Amino acid sequence: MISVRAAVEADVPEITEIQNALIESTSYEWREDLHTVDARLHWLDEKQRAGWPVLVAVDDETDEVVGFAYYGDFRDSVRWPGYRTTVEHTIHVRGDQWGRGVGRHLLTELEHRARSQGKHVMIGGIDATNEGSLLFHLRLGYEEVARMPAVGVKFGRWLDLVLVQKVLDDG
């Protein structure tokens, strides 16, 4: 069984390990340097102070963090307040847990939290080569709304970004 709960500081080493797992071998995350635990602690504190949820999926048998998800501002809703009801999410699941429902549990709870905060649309930005993530989002009701060619770079090559979105409410 998997439980989803709010992340705490003690989860940050496992969050960092999960997030770093594919940085050196894929273009799924558009950075080349690894995250540090100290930087992720600062990130968690900033997210929590801003009122943004950071969730972890925990394996109930082992008590290990096997995934995490969060959302935050889409663009800059302070500068452009018209975006205040739209958020962009990120989700990472430990590789040995793919296909076991961890991502679905995380994203379902994240959407619930977004609705409770009055959010209308949730966006995901996905590297075009990450077909598994694209299919995952489509299965959960997201629709592809844009393909942006050559907007990123990693490993000396141009990367395409796919934007997916889901309307969270009907109002």
Side-chain angles (χ1 to χ4, degrees):
M1 289 293 295
I2 298 295
S3 298
V4 175
R5 61 168 171 76
V8 296
E9 284 187 8
D11 299 322
V12 170
E14 289 174 291
I15 288 171
T16 305
E17 184 178 330
I18 291 166
Q19 194 162 18
N20 283 340
L22 298 175
I23 287 177
E24 295 176 316
S25 61
T26 72
S27 58
Y28 296 174
E29 186 172 347
W30 292 3
R31 64 180 293 138
E32 296 180 9
D33 55 318
L34 298 177
H35 296 278
T36 66
V37 171
D38 286 343
R40 294 282 82 188
L41 283 166
H42 179 70
W43 158 84
L44 179 62
D45 182 58
E46 284 183 338
K47 287 286 187 190
Q48 290 173 334
R49 281 203 260 175
W52 299 118
V54 177
L55 305 176
V56 291
V58 178
D59 183 311
D60 292 334
E61 290 182 24
T62 64
D63 202 36
E64 294 177 319
V65 172
V66 294
F68 71 97
Y70 61 94
Y71 65 75
D73 241 354
F74 174 72
R75 303 208 53 190
D76 180 347
S77 66
V78 173
R79 187 171 173 194
W80 296 295
Y83 290 111
R84 68 188 171 278
T85 61
T86 300
V87 291
E88 182 174 359
H89 75 277
T90 298
I91 184 167
H92 289 272
V93 175
R94 204 170 73 188
D96 65 340
Q97 299 294 309
W98 292 353
R100 299 185 64 201
V102 174
R104 182 176 37 82
H105 287 300
L106 282 166
L107 194 50
T108 299
E109 180 61 23
L110 203 61
E111 290 171 1
H112 171 73
R113 304 247 179 146
R115 285 184 191 96
S116 71
Q117 287 187 329
K119 303 307 177 187
H120 176 63
V121 170
M122 187 171 283
I123 303 240
I126 304 168
D127 178 81
T129 66
N130 192 345
E131 293 175 11
S133 183
L134 289 168
L135 290 171
F136 164 78
H137 282 86
L138 294 174
R139 282 193 308 264
L140 291 177
Y142 286 76
E143 62 182 298
E144 182 178 318
V145 294
R147 280 195 178 248
M148 303 172 72
V151 296
V153 66
K154 184 173 178 181
F155 303 136
R157 67 178 193 266
W158 295 110
L159 303 173
D160 299 345
L161 179 67
V162 179
L163 295 179
V164 296
Q165 82 172 40
K166 183 175 188 178
V167 176
L168 299 173
D169 63 19
D170 54 2

